[in-house]
Amino acid sequence: MLRKMLRICSMFGLVMVLSVVAAQAQTSVRAKAHIPFDFKIGQKTYQSGEYTLGWSEGVLKIQNRRNGKARLILMNPGKTSRDANVSKLVFDRLNDQYFLSEIITPGGGAKFRKSKREERLAKEAKPLTETVALQKQD
């Protein structure tokens, strides 16, 4: 009897997990962008070029369209510091380096944590802001 109850509970748990995964997949956003400069997210450097981006529930998947390499990155979801009518990426430019700082969409967006290097450079020079438009991907 105990085994039967454990199986039922396990099956119920599996159904619940699969339901949550399916719901999250439906709320993800996909876009593409041409980023004309090398940039950093955290410690990782990305080369300029065409990228496909998808995000949901505080996780960004960024994929280089030329070589197909993809990476998952944690974000801080929620309202950004700016209102927007269009979707865009916001970069902080410090000296000759670009750091992805925000994704802005009409419905909200997300921020990225600053790396230690970015914080150190920001103390030396005021960051300039560069934006790159996002195009919805079908």
Side-chain angles (χ1 to χ4, degrees), residues 23-110:
Q24 286 180 352
Q26 292 173 357
T27 61
S28 68
V29 178
R30 290 179 50 97
K32 60 183 177 178
H34 173 74
I35 303 173
F37 42 78
D38 293 354
F39 62 99
K40 293 181 180 285
I41 304 175
Q43 302 297 323
K44 177 77 173 142
T45 301
Y46 298 83
Q47 294 191 355
S48 63
E50 300 289 328
Y51 285 87
T52 301
L53 299 102
W55 61 93
S56 175
E57 305 298 322
V59 177
L60 169 70
K61 178 183 177 187
I62 184 167
Q63 183 170 17
N64 185 313
R65 295 178 73 186
R66 182 174 23 126
N67 63 19
K69 289 185 180 178
R71 192 165 172 101
L72 296 177
I73 300 149
L74 294 177
M75 305 182 296
N76 296 325
K79 295 288 182 187
T80 63
S81 60
R82 311 159 208 248
D83 292 326
N85 297 332
V86 296
S87 297
K88 58 188 171 185
L89 300 174
V90 178
F91 294 87
D92 288 336
R93 184 175 65 151
L94 295 157
N95 298 330
D96 61 345
Q97 297 180 49
Y98 294 83
F99 299 86
L100 182 59
S101 63
E102 291 181 88
I103 293 178
I104 297 177
T105 64

Side-chain angles (χ1 to χ4, degrees), residues 8-27:
I8 290 171
C9 289
S10 296
M11 290 302 281
F12 180 72
L14 180 61
V15 168
M16 293 301 292
V17 167
L18 292 175
S19 297
V20 169
V21 169
Q24 286 180 352
Q26 292 173 357
T27 61

Side-chain angles (χ1 to χ4, degrees), residues 108-125:
K111 289 187 173 192
F112 294 87
R113 291 187 185 100
K114 294 188 184 309
S115 68
K116 289 179 183 178
R117 178 166 179 71
E118 185 177 0
E119 288 176 352
R120 190 174 65 248
L121 288 172
K123 289 179 184 177
E124 298 170 5

